[in-house]
Amino acid sequence: MPASPSTARAINDRSALGLLQDRGPLTAGQLKQLTGLSRPTVADLVERLGAAGLITVVGESGAARRGPNARLYGIAADRAHLAALDVRTEGVAVLVADLVGRVLAEASVPIEGDTGTGPAVQRVVAAVAGAVGRAGAERLHTVGIGAPGLIDPATGDLRDSAGLPAWHRSLSAALQERLPGARVTVENETNLAALAEQREGAARDRDTFVLLWLGHGTGAAVVLDGTLRRGASGGTGEIGFLPVPGTPTLPSATDCSGGFHTLAGAAAVVSLGAEHGLPTPATTDGPGAAGLVREAVERVRAAGRSAGAGRAEHGPGNRSAVAAGEHEPGDRSAGAAAGEPVATRGAGTGHPVGRKPRPVAEGRPVVGGGAWEEIPAAGEPVVARGAGAETEADAGAAVGREALGGGPQEALGGEEPPAVGEPTGREPVTAADPAGTAVGADERFLSALADRIAIGAASVVAVLDPGCVVLGGEIGHAGGDVLAGLVAQRLRRMSPLPTEVRAGALGGSAVLRGALLTARDRAQDTLWSDPSRSPVPS
């Protein structure tokens, strides 16, 4: 059954607006080419969208041709203004943007732990109002809020959660009262981070993945077949309550102590760093723990480059001797000649940067257990072995092993993974730090942290088989490819399901960015649903 004229117009309008959002300003001719519509139809929709105040002429095309230049049409950015809030236990970050998502003003307001609900809410409302004024906006069309805790799927409100400030639950209603006409929505912070990583960050090419949030607290967001899954009660991804080995107690319905949070939350990460003799940050929140991890990774990277300087090859078959400065530790091609295919093996084939050389004979290095391993011929691809098929995560694990001075390890059948903090007998010893101090402490810290993260990640992988885990939040971003590679290595030993592990690209800013993307989507959905009914701009 053919679409009615009004339905066809709505479909064409949304198609044109979507192109203008994704590609920026376009001429009528370009819209005709991209939509496949006739010239009269494009002329009609341009006139209709312009009359509704949704698009405007933003310039002229620069193409050299006879006659006047073609007009460039773009979304009327000031047609609506949006706000995004990232609500944390210690404060709120705010930004105000236009309809295309361009940030116009920002603000942040700290909230001390002993602040009452009323004063806390008033501070946040005042910060939003101030940002709106600085942005030059008369009013807000849509407000997106990202907050920790469970969102009631029936009402869209924050549920009463133990351990979270009471003012969190009052904020949405207060903003709605102060901003009449605005649409105020609340979403779980980790879900928003996953949205941002999928649209603009590390998961742009994935329709199915899990984001593991590693910040002040822990959480997970599940995206399956392009759809965010919230669960029956809105609690999908409350991984902080996951019972795990290595903790003294079990979590309860009101307290995640004893769950995965106890292993990988910011306070636990700072405590783990102190156990390994690292300088501890002034605060045990997400940014503080992230700084600790980032500094450890940077020192290990620097030592890896230093250890590679001037090292000679160990035998004619060794392909992994690298001169100083040839690669960064995050370079997947480290240890291979130019143009040579690189992947990982289940057992070592050379001496990664900073690793103590193994004995060699007839060009073949000794691998675990004293067995000899043949070196592939020049130009022969190295194939991954172990629990799953070769994936990019294998190469990522190699990155982590090289940066930490550890050689590739075989996935041993039936071998139980070590308990958290338990020595494995395979702790790296680096040329830069033969005494096992200084950089060696950083290596052991990152290795122990990867052990902990892998416990939670393996549980998620076993249930969902997402194929990709993104280490998000401030800590996941700070660990970069080094930490992601170490986690990937452990997942291969713990799970038969091939899983790529990636470092989050947006870090702690992902929540605020996700809140803005959500607000923009909802505002555009409202305004674009029927341009003929759109009110004139304020």
Side-chain angles (χ1 to χ4, degrees):
M1 180 178 178
S4 66
S6 60
T7 300
R9 284 195 299 270
I11 293 172
N12 293 340
D13 291 347
R14 290 187 72 93
S15 176
L17 288 165
L19 287 168
L20 292 172
Q21 173 68 66
D22 295 338
R23 297 173 177 258
L26 298 169
T27 66
Q30 291 169 327
L31 284 171
K32 174 183 177 297
Q33 181 181 12
L34 292 169
T35 60
L37 299 173
S38 67
R39 186 179 300 276
T41 301
V42 170
D44 179 58
L45 76 82
V46 166
E47 182 179 358
R48 184 169 56 252
L49 295 176
L54 294 179
I55 68 173
T56 186
V57 177
V58 296
E60 295 182 345
S61 66
R65 63 181 182 84
R66 293 181 179 179
N69 291 334
R71 292 178 175 181
L72 279 170
Y73 296 96
I75 292 176
D78 60 353
R79 177 66 185 78
H81 289 91
L82 323 167
L85 282 71
D86 180 4
V87 179
R88 304 290 178 100
T89 56
E90 69 280 3
V92 177
V94 181
L95 63 79
V96 174
D98 60 23
L99 187 57
V100 297
R102 184 173 59 243
V103 177
L104 304 176
E106 299 181 72
S108 61
V109 51
I111 306 292
E112 295 77 14
D114 58 353
T115 305
T117 297
V121 169
Q122 288 304 315
R123 288 186 195 176
V124 177
V125 170
V128 172
V132 170
R134 291 192 299 277
E138 293 184 11
R139 63 185 182 88
L140 292 175
H141 182 281
T142 306
V143 179
I145 302 174
L150 301 178
I151 308 297
D152 189 320
T155 65
D157 297 328
L158 271 173
R159 290 170 52 183
D160 187 1
S161 302
L164 294 177
W167 61 266
H168 282 196
R169 298 189 302 279
S170 305
L171 182 58
S172 176
L175 285 171
Q176 190 68 77
E177 180 181 355
R178 177 68 180 267
L179 305 169
R183 300 176 63 200
V184 180
T185 58
V186 186
E187 178 61 272
N188 174 267
E189 58 178 356
T190 307
N191 288 342
L192 291 177
L195 170 66
E197 291 286 1
Q198 186 182 34
R199 299 269 289 271
E200 301 180 344
R204 280 176 290 183
D205 60 338
R206 304 292 305 201
D207 287 332
T208 296
F209 71 99
V210 167
L211 179 129
L212 194 62
W213 181 266
L214 303 170
H216 182 74
T218 57
V222 178
V223 177
L224 301 179
D225 299 324
T227 302
L228 180 70
R229 306 294 180 176
R230 294 179 174 83
S233 63
T236 295
E238 286 295 318
I239 197 173
F241 287 86
L242 179 72
V244 292
T247 60
T249 61
L250 289 174
S252 71
T254 58
D255 188 358
C256 61
S257 298
F260 181 64
H261 172 83
T262 299
L263 289 186
V269 172
V270 171
S271 177
L272 183 66
E275 291 174 13
H276 287 80
L278 304 187
T280 56
T283 61
T284 58
D285 57 3
L292 174 68
V293 172
R294 184 179 298 106
E295 291 170 4
V297 168
E298 289 173 352
R299 287 191 293 266
V300 166
R301 287 182 184 275
R305 288 192 293 270
S306 174
R311 187 178 58 205
E313 292 192 14
H314 298 282
N318 181 17
R319 297 158 51 194
S320 60
V322 183
E326 283 189 19
H327 72 281
E328 294 290 329
D331 184 355
R332 291 176 54 189
S333 64
E340 188 174 6
V342 177
T344 59
R345 296 180 72 96
T349 58
H351 318 312
V353 173
R355 182 165 179 84
K356 188 175 182 179
R358 293 168 171 159
V360 294
E362 300 177 358
R364 298 176 296 179
V366 176
V367 299
W372 294 102
E373 170 135 331
E374 294 291 340
I375 296 296
E380 177 185 350
V382 184
V383 220
R385 302 188 311 181
E390 179 182 2
T391 67
E392 290 185 18
D394 297 326
V399 169
R401 289 192 299 268
E402 290 176 8
L404 289 189
Q409 297 172 356
E410 188 82 42
L412 303 177
E415 180 183 1
E416 292 291 333
V420 176
E422 177 184 340
T424 63
R426 297 190 292 268
E427 279 69 22
V429 180
T430 67
D433 186 30
T437 57
V439 173
D442 293 311
E443 296 170 346
R444 290 189 294 274
F445 161 68
L446 293 173
S447 181
L449 179 58
D451 287 341
R452 295 184 174 199
I453 295 172
I455 291 174
S459 300
V460 171
V461 167
V463 174
L464 298 175
D465 187 18
C468 178
V469 172
V470 175
L471 303 183
E474 297 95 342
I475 295 172
H477 178 64
D481 289 342
V482 171
L483 184 59
L486 290 169
V487 174
Q489 175 193 16
R490 284 149 177 79
L491 280 182
R492 285 202 309 278
R493 293 203 303 261
M494 299 168 70
S495 172
L497 308 177
T499 305
E500 184 181 2
V501 179
R502 300 178 179 179
L506 304 177
S509 67
V511 176
L512 198 57
R513 191 64 195 169
L516 176 58
L517 289 170
T518 300
R520 190 190 73 185
D521 290 348
R522 289 173 176 167
Q524 291 180 348
D525 186 64
T526 300
L527 294 170
W528 296 355
S529 60
D530 189 352
S532 64
R533 297 182 184 177
S534 296
V536 296
S538 58

